[in-house]
Amino acid sequence: MTAGPSNATVDEGYNFAFLDEQTKRMLRRAILKAVAIPGHQIPFGSREMPLSYGWGTGGIQITAAVIGPADTLKVIDQGADDTTNAVSIRSFFRRMTGVATTERTPDATIVQTRHRIPETKLVEGQILVYQVPIPEPLRWLEPRESETRKMHALAEYGAMHVKLFEDIVRFGRIETAYDYPVMVNGRYLMRPSPIPKFDNPKMDQMPALQLFGAGREKRIYAVPPYTAVKSLDFEDYPFQIEKWDQPCALCGADDTFLDEIITDDKGGRMFVCSDTDHCEQRRAAGHRGTGAPQSYVAAVEGGE
Amino acid sequence: MSPAISIRGLRKSFTLHLRGGVRLDALRGVDLDVQAGECVVLRGPSGAGKSSLMRCVYGNYGADSGSLLIRDSGAEIDMASASPRQVTALRRDTIGYVSQFLRVIPRVSTRDVVAEPMLARGVAPDTARGRAEAMLARLNIPSRLFDLPPATFSGGEQQRVNIARVFAAGFPILLLDEPTASLDDANRAVVIALIREARDSGAAILAILHDPVAREAVASRVFELEPGTSLPEAA
Amino acid sequence: MSETPILEVRGLTKRFGARAAVRDVSLELWPGEVLGIVGESGSGKTTLLNCLGGRMPADAGEVLYHTGDGREVDMLALSEADRRRLLRTEWGFVHQNPRDGLRPDVSAGGNVGERLMALGQRHYGNLRDTALDWLKQVEIDADRVDDKPRAFSGGMQQRLQIARNLVTHPRVVLMDEPTGGLDVSVQARLLDLLRRLVRDVGVSVIIVTHDLGVARLLADRLIVMREGGLVESGLTDRLLDDPREPYTQLLVSSVLTV
């Protein structure tokens, strides 16, 4: 699945990775600052990109600032490499840089993601770039930016638990399932972007560098390698990740985040890995699930 | 032992700025001692300053000059120059005042109105309420009224609640402004008995009593006040 | 009587442009005391309260506060972090409009629990029990604990706001017209409640009101303000029954019955 740098067609007339060097330097300064203060949001001069806000412009600018000719890029959207958003961003960088792209997590040096963390453990040297719609975790309770900045500066985060408290009031448990707030390095409250809370534990002490970009809100933040990331919870309602009562129908994995798939128009459904690459790797290694209709399996296998 | 109340050269006037600054002299140099175990009844025509004197002793009116010493568990405090906090403490522990009108928060039950001075001193709520009920019963307030706020009571009932409030807590100094007015004979007898018991157990009492029967029954002596300039009796 | 004031305000001044909204005000607040600030609209009483409560910077003066752990700090000179920490632990602020002091879309229990969560309490069951206890104290039925205050009556909202403030057992509570905008009967209930809580919790209160009836029932001492300055101060009933200053006499005589 890996495409080499040489066989990509690079568009003429653009600077490497689309942005001019001056802009990249500005972005890198913001990134360095973000890495130095884990979880703290750094404002940056977000540029117009050839995509609309909401399509990952923050993540794209970060990737553009850190990518080099020797990098290998993977782009996922909700865990899949083949969705529109992932495909178009991957194609954009191929045309603007000529770098290699891949769907295999271990082969990538940079993974840009929307709403998932790959199941395959990331390692030192890799960079995970998150696309962030709303960076401010305190926004729901405080609309004033001046005030939320002050709350961060003074680490006044108690009210954040009110939100989880309200979940328990209404649902009997902490219902927040995506964008579940975390404390980074014991200091800054951070939104992990709309990843499922299933992925939160992966952020903790991750060997890879995690960078977060919000294009519309013009904020960059980061979690450096091997940094503590703790999900908020209550003593009597501890943080828990989603569990499924069945393994992946395709690869049989019982430790991955599953998507529900409707298999026919008679109410048939099954659960499969949201991370398509991980699922493929497992199946390539001989793992098989049960419960997927033959026609579906054939389609997936045939696609390889 | 020094008097419980010792008043020397007490002067009190009112300057009515809204009426062109007219000055009314209410008290012009009053000298009076009240000993523990004594009930002094103030007498004088309307406008002589009986209520004003009593209010000065209670700290409700500020004195212009003179001294107004209150014996307070050994120490003496001059009400004429006491700080608001000292006055508050004296009212909590030392001076009880039965005014002519009951002024309380509308919604509070009669039981709690009577218990409140004790609660303010830190008496346990159950004890305070028990003593409040006993005193109300003695003053012939039916127990079915204990839970009701006194605002809807008749004038006589309100007056008895007012009396119960002060006598249930017990004070070494009592200021009584017409405590038997608007009471029937039976209740007047109860109040007279209460005053005598307090006096005989050592309270210093200053009273305004127009009712000759009550005056005869409780007065150790009578103190005559000369009329000052005309001043409408303050409500 | 040997104790010291919990709060000493010296020479507090707040200007809006050339106009001094609060002019050289000094006052003391003693432990367990309710101090009323009365005056007509525009007299500067709310501005004074906002300066004391750290909601508005003052231009001059000192607000010396004796903390729970025995230090004396100038609230105006404290670092913002320290000031805000004190304000949400040892101080409370009850707004005239409960909407300003409540989270309307957070349950009653969450509203009461917020300050405790801010102090690091992380046990849902305990937080909820504490909230239930406080709802009872402010006479809100336990079965309303999960309801949002948006659906509460004005009086209930105000009582909830009081519970939300008192839950951390603050030592100083500032109240801005807490009974304003409520029906008379609802006011009476709230006044009764406030008196009881002040006595039971032993908190010191500064209450701003233009209602002399409220002032008489709640305050031990009163301060009369006019045009940003202090006109007269003293024991509540003496100030209302024997006012000395022309302005105080005018203020008192303007009321039908107090």
Side-chain angles (χ1 to χ4, degrees):
Chain A
M1 297 298 295
T2 304
S6 50
N7 52 22
T9 329
V10 180
D11 284 16
E12 298 292 324
Y14 291 98
N15 192 34
F16 180 80
F18 184 76
L19 296 173
D20 62 87
E21 294 304 311
Q22 205 54 37
T23 298
K24 286 194 222 168
R25 271 198 285 276
M26 177 271 291
L27 280 160
R28 288 174 195 143
R29 276 196 298 273
I31 292 166
L32 283 173
K33 210 191 250 184
V35 169
I37 316 170
H40 176 52
Q41 300 167 50
I42 312 293
F44 75 103
S46 185
R47 294 291 186 258
E48 285 290 324
M49 298 300 287
L51 271 89
S52 308
Y53 286 137
W55 286 88
T57 53
I60 292 168
Q61 289 179 80
I62 287 182
T63 299
V66 299
I67 200 165
D71 275 310
T72 304
L73 177 68
K74 170 183 165 80
V75 183
I76 52 171
D77 175 7
Q78 307 271 23
D81 298 77
D82 55 359
T83 52
T84 313
N85 189 234
V87 168
S88 59
I89 291 173
R90 194 163 52 228
S91 131
F92 171 75
F93 278 110
R94 247 198 324 257
R95 288 167 57 194
M96 292 300 129
T97 63
V99 301
T101 59
T102 181
E103 295 188 1
R104 283 177 48 87
T105 302
D107 295 343
T109 55
I110 300 171
V111 179
Q112 180 171 332
T113 177
R114 174 174 177 271
H115 302 185
R116 273 311 310 272
I117 296 175
E119 305 288 3
T120 309
K121 272 181 86 91
L122 296 176
V123 297
E124 285 182 23
Q126 289 183 304
I127 300 175
L128 183 58
V129 179
Y130 296 77
Q131 301 170 199
V132 178
I134 302 167
E136 180 49 70
L138 300 167
R139 186 61 69 226
W140 77 278
L141 57 88
E142 178 52 64
R144 290 168 296 177
E145 176 70 17
S146 59
E147 188 63 18
T148 52
R149 280 202 205 186
K150 209 169 275 176
M151 291 163 85
H152 281 296
L154 304 176
E156 289 179 4
Y157 294 141
M160 198 62 207
H161 269 84
V162 174
K163 192 170 195 239
L164 305 179
F165 184 97
E166 289 301 289
D167 267 11
I168 305 174
V169 166
R170 268 187 294 166
F171 308 108
R173 63 198 157 90
I174 298 175
E175 183 74 1
T176 301
Y178 291 87
D179 218 347
Y180 191 107
V182 294
M183 280 297 286
V184 178
N185 202 27
R187 176 58 183 84
Y188 281 96
L189 184 69
M190 189 185 90
R191 283 180 92 132
S193 86
I195 58 171
K197 66 179 176 180
F198 180 89
D199 286 342
N200 275 23
K202 297 177 188 164
M203 309 180 79
D204 185 36
Q205 303 295 343
M206 184 190 278
L209 170 64
Q210 305 174 71
L211 301 176
F212 300 78
R216 181 176 42 216
E217 305 270 340
K218 304 175 175 53
R219 292 288 184 279
I220 285 173
Y221 49 101
V223 176
Y226 302 109
T227 301
V229 176
K230 188 185 178 321
S231 305
L232 302 189
D233 63 1
F234 287 99
E235 289 159 19
D236 46 345
Y237 287 84
F239 174 79
Q240 282 176 331
I241 57 174
E242 299 90 332
K243 285 197 170 32
W244 289 263
D245 46 19
Q246 52 192 300
C248 171
L250 295 176
C251 76
D254 59 2
D255 59 350
T256 59
F257 188 82
L258 302 181
D259 282 339
E260 186 179 355
I261 307 279
I262 306 298
T263 52
D264 55 39
D265 53 8
K266 295 189 281 291
R269 60 200 190 117
M270 63 175 184
F271 289 89
V272 299
C273 287
S274 135
D275 184 336
T276 51
D277 166 60
H278 182 75
C279 198
E280 275 172 33
Q281 305 303 327
R282 279 180 53 84
R283 274 181 279 126
H287 297 283
R288 284 290 180 277
T290 54
Q294 261 318 305
S295 57
Y296 189 88
V297 175
V300 171
E301 303 289 326
E304 281 192 69
Chain B
M1 199 167 185
S2 59
I5 304 171
S6 180
I7 303 169
R8 290 291 177 273
L10 178 65
R11 300 183 73 89
K12 173 62 189 168
S13 65
F14 296 91
T15 305
L16 305 182
H17 295 285
L18 304 183
R19 284 199 245 152
V22 59
R23 200 180 107 132
L24 303 171
D25 288 318
L27 300 169
R28 291 186 292 185
V30 173
D31 298 316
L32 169 64
D33 287 343
V34 183
Q35 302 288 343
E38 184 180 37
C39 177
V40 175
V41 173
L42 298 175
R43 195 162 61 188
S46 185
K50 300 187 292 295
S51 281
S52 294
L53 174 59
M54 199 164 271
R55 283 164 176 256
C56 283
V57 174
Y58 195 57
N60 180 224
Y61 286 173
D64 296 350
S65 61
S67 68
L68 220 164
L69 299 181
I70 306 292
R71 201 175 66 219
D72 174 46
S73 52
E76 276 191 334
I77 294 172
D78 188 352
M79 187 60 93
S81 59
S83 72
R85 297 185 65 243
Q86 285 176 312
V87 176
T88 304
L90 279 173
R91 290 176 178 183
R92 185 186 62 224
D93 300 324
T94 307
I95 310 177
Y97 176 37
V98 176
S99 61
Q100 290 190 51
F101 298 97
L102 180 64
R103 188 137 52 182
V104 289
I105 293 183
R107 201 181 67 111
V108 183
S109 75
T110 296
R111 183 191 297 103
D112 283 357
V113 165
V114 175
E116 199 197 350
M118 291 180 272
L119 294 174
R121 281 185 204 163
V123 175
D126 287 348
T127 311
R129 295 203 174 94
R131 273 157 64 180
E133 289 185 6
M135 185 57 72
L136 285 166
R138 188 169 174 194
L139 283 156
N140 299 309
I141 302 288
S143 58
R144 65 187 155 79
L145 297 184
F146 292 178
D147 286 325
L148 303 179
T152 55
F153 293 4
S154 72
E157 284 165 341
Q158 289 199 16
Q159 177 71 340
R160 280 178 277 148
V161 172
N162 211 0
I163 290 164
R165 188 175 147 87
V166 170
F167 279 88
F171 291 90
I173 294 175
L174 290 169
L175 309 175
L176 311 174
D177 193 349
E178 295 286 10
T180 58
S182 71
L183 295 188
D184 60 23
D185 287 352
N187 282 311
R188 182 174 64 183
V190 175
V191 173
I192 286 170
L194 283 171
I195 297 172
R196 292 176 70 123
E197 285 167 24
R199 184 194 66 192
D200 295 347
S201 62
I205 303 171
L206 192 59
I208 300 170
L209 280 167
H210 282 112
D211 169 14
V213 176
R215 189 163 62 214
E216 191 63 34
V218 300
S220 310
R221 60 192 171 92
V222 168
F223 182 81
E224 296 282 349
L225 271 171
E226 299 300 318
T229 50
S230 68
L231 177 85
E233 281 286 304
Chain C
M1 297 305 253
S2 58
E3 56 195 349
T4 50
I6 193 164
L7 195 65
E8 293 171 73
V9 178
R10 293 185 192 150
L12 192 80
T13 296
K14 172 70 186 175
R15 290 185 199 85
F16 293 119
R19 191 176 68 87
V22 173
R23 191 163 18 88
D24 194 25
V25 167
S26 298
L27 59 87
E28 291 172 348
L29 180 69
W30 294 81
E33 180 184 48
V34 179
L35 175 66
I37 303 179
V38 297
E40 61 199 10
S41 305
S43 58
K45 53 194 196 307
T46 294
T47 303
L48 171 62
L49 202 68
N50 283 333
C51 290
L52 295 181
R55 309 175 60 78
M56 203 179 263
D59 294 314
E62 290 179 319
V63 178
L64 301 176
Y65 168 62
H66 296 262
T67 63
D69 54 10
R71 291 172 300 131
E72 183 186 273
V73 297
D74 180 356
M75 295 295 283
L76 303 181
L78 273 185
S79 75
E80 187 167 27
D82 288 343
R83 184 169 64 242
R84 285 168 68 117
R85 190 182 47 73
L86 278 178
L87 289 177
R88 65 169 191 270
T89 53
E90 299 191 9
W91 289 50
F93 198 105
V94 175
H95 297 259
Q96 173 173 13
N97 187 339
R99 281 196 299 274
D100 296 334
L102 289 174
R103 296 194 188 281
D105 290 317
V106 165
S107 68
N111 266 287
V112 175
E114 177 170 341
R115 278 170 74 123
L116 296 175
M117 290 183 237
L119 288 178
Q121 290 202 20
R122 294 288 179 266
H123 191 284
Y124 176 83
N126 294 347
L127 287 163
R128 193 177 156 88
D129 288 348
T130 306
L132 283 168
D133 181 49
W134 272 100
L135 291 185
K136 187 176 162 196
Q137 294 212 44
V138 298
E139 302 170 10
I140 294 175
D141 288 340
D143 60 8
R144 305 302 299 269
V145 65
D146 294 338
D147 294 351
K148 291 173 179 170
R150 189 179 285 288
F152 289 5
S153 69
M156 267 175 79
Q157 287 183 354
Q158 201 54 293
R159 296 202 300 279
L160 182 64
Q161 194 192 180
I162 288 162
R164 178 177 152 92
N165 272 279
L166 292 185
V167 67
T168 52
H169 295 277
R171 303 172 72 237
V172 174
V173 174
L174 310 180
M175 299 186 182
D176 188 10
E177 304 272 9
T179 61
L182 298 178
D183 291 345
V184 176
S185 62
V186 178
Q187 266 195 26
R189 182 176 189 185
L190 191 70
L191 288 174
D192 171 30
L193 181 81
L194 282 173
R195 258 167 76 117
R196 184 169 57 72
L197 289 175
V198 165
R199 190 187 60 216
D200 294 353
V201 181
V203 64
S204 307
V205 176
I206 298 181
I207 178 168
V208 158
T209 179
H210 70 275
D211 185 333
L212 298 186
V214 167
R216 185 190 279 280
L217 290 175
L218 278 184
D220 300 307
R221 275 195 306 130
L222 286 186
I223 283 176
V224 180
M225 280 188 75
R226 185 191 191 194
E227 290 170 359
L230 220 146
V231 174
E232 188 172 357
S233 72
L235 204 62
T236 297
D237 62 86
R238 187 185 297 183
L239 199 118
L240 295 177
D241 295 340
D242 185 15
R244 302 295 177 95
E245 294 297 320
Y247 178 71
T248 313
Q249 291 188 359
L250 178 67
L251 201 68
V252 170
S253 68
S254 311
V255 181
L256 294 176
T257 38
V258 249

